[in-house]
Amino acid sequence: MRAINQFLSKIREINQRYAKPTVEMSRGVKFSLAVLRIYLFLLVVLMIYKFITVIKVV
Amino acid sequence: MDFFSLLYYRFKKVWKSVRLYLVIAGPGLVVMIADNDAGGITTYAATGAKYGYHLIWFLLLLIPVAYYVQEMTVRLGAVTKRGHAEAIFESFGAFWGWFSLLDLMIVDWLTLVTEFVGMTAALGIFGVPAWLTVIIVVVLMSILVLNGRYWTWEKIALGFCLLNLIYIPAAFMVNPSIADILGQGLIPNLPGGLTNELFFLLMANIGTTIAPWMLFFQQSSVVDKGLLEKDIKMGKVDTFIGSIITVAIAVFIVIVTGTLLNGAPIDDAATAAKLLMKTNQYVGAFMAIGLFDAGLLGAICISLASSWAFGEIFGWAHSLNTKVKEAPWFYISFFITLATAGVVPLIPGAPLVLITLFVQVVAVTLLPAALVFLILLLNDKKTMGEYANTPLQNIVSTTIVGAIIILSTMYGVSALFPNIFQ
């Protein structure tokens, strides 16, 4: 239990340490990150769809 | 200055550059040659068996692709003194950082399983049981990382890289037709037209040339070696030489299987080695030894890429220059990754085909993100200063990265839905 708590506090510490991105959020950077989010979202949707169809077959 | 003095002066200058290169050389060579891992050897063997020498020109195109992507990690590592995982966390925040780190952990572990599958299959050809292969590999890699010096680790790793050149004598032993190689291989052509099967193989070749772990590994390796801004030029030379060697090895594998196994169905490199043994025992043995070595090199780099990344983020000591007592978590994470991946091929009925499929799909989620972050980081003038991407470098790298993202996405999607592009 103590180890889990220590681990979780370490995660919180990391989250705090890197809470604010240091890269200058120019239009190009914002656009790239937005496209990346959409791309990854679509990929996850495809994977979930595949998973469901495989489960149905099984 | 007379002629001989000038000659001596020039020689001294060149020799000084060579000596400097030998000091800096390592990260680029190791990452590039390890890129030809067990999965890579299978892809090249299948390419040669299916299309003969016809796709050699395509492999040659991958030299600049590999170089331009990887040289960015050299600049980034030398300037920021941070690994790729830490750079992502710091520059883009915890969300993208965790996404990259967890994705890297999954991709690396799955890829490591495929390396063990390749190594056990390779030594299985010589009658070595799979459990013994796993033990040999784990012990060998333990000795390699526990010596407490990056320099020693790198030189031993370079020794294994040298063994990867075994495909060159193998190619000469099969007596290929030089005229056919030049005539069929160097003139761009798509044998039989752009069929679904050919397209899948081309994408597999690209997928095996640029893998997510390579970005993380080389940048961390540059940092661990302690390369500075002044070493960037030689670091780039190292990467360029590495990219030539990795493609050269791929070409020689294609020549071997294209000569002896043209038309044979090849599902994996171990099958190719067994078939080659029927024609030429030594060539088959070379193929199997090369496959084991490729898996070992891949395993060395992949497990380190994960441990370095974890160490950077969790703030553990994470250098090969540290002893186990000084960096226990670095070595523990290394062994856990290694041992758990090694056990999987030993489990009867383990879903190895599914794992291979998963590697392709999960890599597609990480690779575009890692590449986009790389270009954005290289354009951060505040951090990179004079080493930031120039407009020309941006055009080249963005074109290459854009093409890799599109093709690797198609590769991943076609792995999920095999008939989608028919």
Side-chain angles (χ1 to χ4, degrees):
Chain A
M1 197 63 191
R2 196 168 151 237
I4 294 171
N5 281 336
Q6 273 180 343
F7 182 71
L8 289 176
S9 77
K10 186 77 190 168
I11 301 278
R12 278 193 292 272
E13 184 201 314
I14 292 168
N15 285 341
Q16 275 177 355
R17 198 192 322 154
Y18 298 112
K20 202 165 180 280
T22 57
V23 77
E24 192 189 333
M25 283 291 166
S26 62
R27 269 190 201 169
V29 174
K30 279 182 186 166
F31 175 76
S32 305
L33 294 180
V35 171
L36 204 55
R37 275 200 173 94
I38 296 166
Y39 170 85
L40 291 171
F41 176 75
L42 290 175
L43 267 184
V44 171
V45 169
L46 271 181
M47 278 192 240
I48 292 170
Y49 173 76
K50 176 71 181 182
F51 182 73
I52 292 168
T53 49
V54 168
I55 292 285
K56 270 184 182 172
V57 171
V58 175
Chain B
M1 199 182 278
D2 61 29
F3 174 75
F4 287 106
S5 301
L6 190 70
L7 200 68
Y8 179 71
Y9 172 73
R10 289 266 163 85
F11 172 76
K12 286 279 276 185
K13 209 174 163 188
V14 170
W15 180 236
K16 195 179 165 191
S17 299
V18 170
R19 279 196 309 179
L20 182 64
Y21 170 70
L22 291 176
V23 172
I24 307 289
L29 283 178
V30 173
V31 77
M32 285 297 183
I33 298 174
D35 177 37
N36 285 342
D37 61 353
I41 303 297
T42 292
T43 306
Y44 305 136
T47 303
K50 181 74 190 170
Y51 295 105
Y53 309 139
H54 287 279
L55 295 179
I56 288 176
W57 64 272
F58 184 77
L59 291 172
L60 295 176
L61 287 181
L62 297 177
I63 293 175
V65 171
Y67 169 73
Y68 275 106
V69 171
Q70 290 300 132
E71 74 85 17
M72 288 194 277
T73 65
V74 177
R75 277 188 282 149
L76 198 54
V79 173
T80 63
K81 317 285 184 292
R82 292 190 311 236
H84 202 52
E86 197 179 353
I88 293 172
F89 261 92
E90 196 160 305
S91 298
F92 301 100
F95 170 78
W96 287 113
W98 285 119
F99 163 78
S100 301
L101 188 67
L102 296 176
D103 223 354
L104 177 76
M105 188 185 76
I106 297 168
V107 177
D108 278 4
W109 189 82
L110 291 171
T111 314
L112 206 50
V113 173
T114 65
E115 306 300 355
F116 272 104
V117 171
M119 286 187 281
T120 50
L123 289 196
I125 291 170
F126 301 110
V128 180
W131 61 267
L132 187 57
T133 304
V134 172
I135 291 173
I136 289 171
V137 170
V138 173
V139 170
L140 203 62
M141 285 177 62
S142 307
I143 295 167
L144 205 59
V145 299
L146 289 177
N147 69 72
R149 284 191 71 192
Y150 175 90
W151 193 91
T152 314
W153 171 85
E154 188 183 83
K155 296 306 169 241
I156 298 172
L158 283 171
F160 286 118
C161 288
L162 213 57
L163 187 58
N164 214 248
L165 302 177
I166 199 166
Y167 294 107
I168 299 174
F172 282 102
M173 284 163 74
V174 300
N175 295 319
S177 158
I178 304 293
D180 285 351
I181 292 170
L182 296 176
Q184 297 170 7
L186 297 186
I187 299 163
N189 68 102
L190 297 172
L194 190 59
T195 58
N196 193 43
E197 200 174 7
L198 175 62
F199 190 56
F200 192 80
L201 211 51
L202 292 178
M203 288 190 289
N205 276 288
I206 294 173
T208 194
T209 306
I210 295 294
W213 65 263
M214 291 170 68
L215 307 176
F216 289 83
F217 174 85
Q218 192 170 3
Q219 194 171 327
S220 296
S221 181
V222 162
V223 175
D224 207 354
K225 185 159 181 164
L227 297 193
L228 305 169
E229 284 95 329
K230 66 180 173 63
D231 304 320
I232 287 176
K233 196 177 163 190
M234 280 299 172
K236 283 177 164 186
V237 173
D238 184 40
T239 308
F240 186 63
I241 292 174
S243 58
I244 292 174
I245 294 175
T246 190
V247 170
I249 291 168
V251 169
F252 281 109
I253 295 169
V254 166
I255 291 173
V256 170
T257 56
T259 307
L260 292 186
L261 302 178
N262 206 343
I266 300 293
D267 291 329
D268 56 75
T271 309
K274 281 177 199 162
L275 289 173
L276 284 168
M277 272 186 165
K278 288 177 188 169
T279 323
N280 186 321
Q281 202 183 352
Y282 293 109
V283 175
F286 280 14
M287 184 64 131
I289 292 168
L291 175 62
F292 174 77
D293 183 58
L296 188 68
L297 264 175
I300 288 169
C301 295
I302 291 164
S303 44
L304 266 179
S306 293
S307 301
W308 267 325
F310 273 111
E312 288 160 16
I313 302 312
F314 281 85
W316 307 329
H318 55 276
S319 171
L320 286 170
N321 287 317
T322 52
K323 301 279 179 203
V324 179
K325 273 185 185 173
E326 296 160 341
W329 287 107
F330 173 65
Y331 290 103
I332 286 172
S333 68
F334 175 83
F335 286 114
I336 288 176
T337 313
L338 191 66
T340 51
V343 165
V344 176
L346 303 181
I347 301 169
L352 300 178
V353 176
L354 198 67
I355 286 172
T356 310
L357 181 89
F358 242 78
V359 172
Q360 293 160 2
V361 177
V362 182
V364 165
T365 63
L366 179 58
L367 186 61
L371 289 172
V372 168
F373 292 143
L374 191 63
I375 290 186
L376 294 178
L377 287 166
L378 264 294
N379 277 287
D380 187 8
K381 292 208 166 48
K382 197 172 68 185
T383 312
M384 293 302 295
E386 61 177 298
Y387 298 100
N389 268 1
T390 61
L392 183 66
Q393 280 173 324
N394 269 334
I395 291 169
V396 174
S397 55
T398 309
T399 308
I400 289 173
V401 165
I404 292 173
I405 290 174
I406 292 168
L407 291 170
S408 67
T409 304
M410 291 169 87
Y411 181 50
V413 171
S414 61
L416 272 177
F417 307 98
N419 300 321
I420 198 163
F421 295 120
Q422 276 179 352

